[in-house]
Amino acid sequence: MMRRKSVLAAVIAAVLLAVATGGTALGSSETTSRVASAAAATAGCGKTPTLRSGAQSIQSGGQTRSFILRIPDNYNNTHPYRLIFGFHWLNGTANDVDTGGSSGFTWSYYGLRQLANNTAIFVAPQGLNNGWANSGGQDLTFVDDLVRLIEADLCVDTTQLFAGGFSYGGGMSYALACARATVFRAVAVYSGAQLSGCSGGTQPIAYIGLHGLRDNVLNISQGRSLRDTFVRNNGCTAQNPPEPAQGSLTHVVTTYSGCRSGYPVAWAAFDGGHTPGPVDGSTADDGARTWTKAVVWNFFNQFQSTNDTTPPTTPGTPAASNVTATSATLTWTASTDQGGSGLAGYNVYRVTGTTDPLLGQSTTNSITLTGLTADTEYQVYVRARDGAGNLSANSAFVTFATTSTGGDTTPPTAPSGLAASGTTATGTDLSWAASTDDVGVAGYDILRAPGATGGTFAQVGTSATTSYSDTGLTASTTYRYQVRARDAAGNLSPVSNTVQVTTSGTSTGACSATPTVQSQWGTGYVIQPLTITNTSTSTITNWTVTFTLPAGHTLTGSWNATVTTSGQTVTAKSVSHNGTLAPGAGTTSFGFQASRPNGNTALPTGYTCTSA
């Protein structure tokens, strides 16, 4: 599995128990409604994200802090996703949580990433000095800053934030339960203790604790104490939940009775030591085989947003004020929510006669639009949106004209030499010679029209350089392109020459599928990687693998492919990031886990690969 904290941590823990931490929470007006049952979408919904999966950094509390982000492969910017934090242990790292260590993807984010199957966003923060001392509340502030950053850029359901961690990471998860109970929906504490403080600690939050009877680093009594805090806060009926006998190598999960609706408490005690990945009937610590990941995922997965399908009322007619050459302020009469998910904000659109572009979003009934073009007429309208993503009817239009800059009225020269290269079934690369301007060229607008003739040129992108890659095209389709320059005053050049491209059609290639058994045990196994190799002489853009499970075997999880089963036949199709392979290239991202009857040592057979 993963490199974890040593028994010396018990000494450190004794010191840290005395630490009392604070920190500034996300604004109280923001947090009070976060645990409502209805979805509340964030400002990142509808936006093209700038965040990417992988290592990132952020400024927090005057320091550069790092974290790893995992965005679903099939991310949809109109769908609000769960956001799940995974905290590492003492002397562990964010990378340990993200990769799953020696257990690989099956244990990434304590196994939850595999079970989520591209339905959640995951983040692994990195602790200072590889720990979570939370001095002065700085780690709480770090989490606050991460929440703000992610919600501003990605589509997150604010009622579906979760956190979990092992050992010191469990202490940090407990600190969040204490101090951010109105931000996070639930937490999971694996073998934790009060190591990162407990600022507040009086509000209810859904809580699951997991602890070993023979934990010689953080005694199980410390885990029971954390649990009992939320037994009280959540109004549960006090009890001494059953725990397995020592030597039984089993676990017992107890869900408390009498808890406030929506605030359950669960306790999972197991006959084992200081580990997040115990295996029944064994002393092994194995992320591929542990029961804890399913227990925690099921605990988190019970919380669902309500299905609000009723849109808000229509906003009032917007009024424009403070209009300049590049900006304008709009105000309107507020909408009200009708479906129970809460009013989330407003979208402002410009009328263009085709697809109306989104000019901006606001959480209040006013907005200042910036980046407008000088001496230009704008006709705009407003739509309200609720927490479930429902949009109201359009408001009435308001029309205003930006002022002239009063200075630069000379447009740039037309770009020249527009050419296309590298055209594939789904994209093409454009390049051109730079325009000139008496003041300076600010950028270029890329225009596209369908077909070899006819159709209307519409803007599909902008570029600050003399090149642009247009993606998402349709195979075997003809497009025409033009480019125009613009200067800082909003003056537009004449359009460039027109270039025509025809995307390639899908062509059948050849590929192979080679399985590797990563691990296996009496009742199951993990195939990782199942290597896909392009054996043809041309690039393939997707692949499909089929194989047969032995009788009695059942697929229990897969990653980095879209998988369906029919009887014992499994079909796995590539996803966006691993389907395109150059000749001779391969991908090792796909894998799966299966269960089988105890003692049955058979493995899947009949692997075939087809491609396009």
Side-chain angles (χ1 to χ4, degrees), residues 46-63:
K47 292 175 57 176
T48 300
T50 60
L51 292 173
R52 295 292 183 267
S53 291
Q56 315 274 345
S57 63
I58 185 176
Q59 291 297 309
S60 178
Q63 297 175 298

Side-chain angles (χ1 to χ4, degrees), residues 233-427:
N233 291 354
N234 297 7
C236 308
T237 303
Q239 68 175 95
N240 291 317
E243 295 176 351
Q246 290 202 19
S248 65
L249 296 178
T250 60
H251 73 279
V252 176
V253 180
T254 300
T255 300
Y256 276 73
S257 61
C259 303
R260 287 176 53 181
S261 177
Y263 297 98
V265 172
W267 175 245
F270 58 91
D271 179 35
H274 191 63
T275 172
V279 177
D280 279 352
S282 169
T283 58
D285 180 14
D286 189 341
R289 301 162 54 194
T290 183
W291 51 267
T292 63
K293 57 186 179 182
V295 167
V296 172
W297 175 249
N298 290 337
F299 185 81
F300 284 177
N301 201 41
Q302 68 182 299
F303 306 109
Q304 302 286 338
S305 297
T306 57
N307 186 24
D308 174 11
T309 60
T310 304
T313 60
T314 305
T317 304
S321 61
N322 301 322
V323 179
T324 70
T326 59
S327 66
T329 298
L330 303 178
T331 57
W332 56 88
T333 301
S335 299
T336 57
D337 176 57
Q338 302 294 298
S341 62
L343 189 67
Y346 301 87
N347 296 350
V348 180
Y349 300 89
R350 181 184 183 187
V351 180
T352 63
T354 54
T355 301
D356 295 343
L358 180 68
L359 290 182
Q361 292 183 310
S362 175
T363 57
T364 67
N365 61 327
S366 68
I367 189 173
T368 297
L369 301 173
T370 59
L372 305 181
T373 302
D375 199 21
T376 301
E377 184 176 274
Y378 286 83
Q379 188 175 55
V380 302
Y381 61 92
V382 180
R383 299 183 72 180
R385 65 181 190 278
D386 64 18
N390 300 304
L391 291 175
S392 73
N394 301 348
S395 73
F397 299 149
V398 63
T399 302
F400 63 90
T402 53
T403 61
S404 172
T405 60
D408 181 13
T409 59
T410 303
T413 61
S416 60
L418 176 63
S421 62
T423 303
T424 66
T426 59

Side-chain angles (χ1 to χ4, degrees), residues 6 10 23-24 46-47 50 61 94 101 219 259 284 302 418 461 534 576 601:
S6 72
T24 303
K47 292 175 57 176
T50 60
N219 189 274
C259 303
Q302 68 182 299
L418 176 63
N534 180 2
S576 59
T601 60

Side-chain angles (χ1 to χ4, degrees), residues 569-596:
T569 301
V570 179
T571 301
K573 296 180 180 293
S574 58
V575 291
S576 59
H577 71 275
N578 64 7
T580 300
L581 298 175
T587 177
T588 59
S589 61
F590 171 47
F592 64 90
Q593 180 173 331
S595 64
R596 62 188 176 190

Side-chain angles (χ1 to χ4, degrees), residues 385-533:
R385 65 181 190 278
D386 64 18
N390 300 304
L391 291 175
S392 73
N394 301 348
S395 73
F397 299 149
V398 63
T399 302
F400 63 90
T402 53
T403 61
S404 172
T405 60
D408 181 13
T409 59
T410 303
T413 61
S416 60
L418 176 63
S421 62
T423 303
T424 66
T426 59
T428 190
D429 297 326
L430 304 173
S431 61
W432 56 90
S435 300
T436 60
D437 185 69
D438 59 335
V439 176
V441 174
Y444 298 89
D445 298 334
I446 290 77
L447 312 175
R448 186 180 72 203
T453 59
T456 301
F457 280 93
Q459 183 173 325
V460 293
T462 62
S463 175
T465 66
T466 56
S467 64
Y468 180 81
S469 294
D470 193 22
T471 59
L473 304 181
T474 303
S476 302
T477 303
T478 298
Y479 299 91
R480 288 169 292 144
Y481 290 91
Q482 296 173 342
V483 177
R484 66 187 177 200
R486 48 186 162 75
D487 62 21
N491 300 306
L492 296 175
S493 77
V495 296
S496 69
N497 60 294
T498 300
V499 65
Q500 178 176 306
V501 303
T502 299
T503 54
S504 59
T506 56
S507 58
T508 301
C511 57
S512 63
T514 305
T516 300
V517 180
Q518 182 189 77
S519 62
Q520 58 178 317
W521 54 99
T523 58
Y525 50 90
V526 174
I527 304 294
Q528 165 66 26
L530 204 167
T531 303
I532 313 301
T533 304

Side-chain angles (χ1 to χ4, degrees), residues 130-144:
N130 290 349
W132 300 104
N134 194 26
S135 300
Q138 61 184 344
D139 291 327
L140 289 172
T141 299
F142 179 29
V143 172
D144 292 345

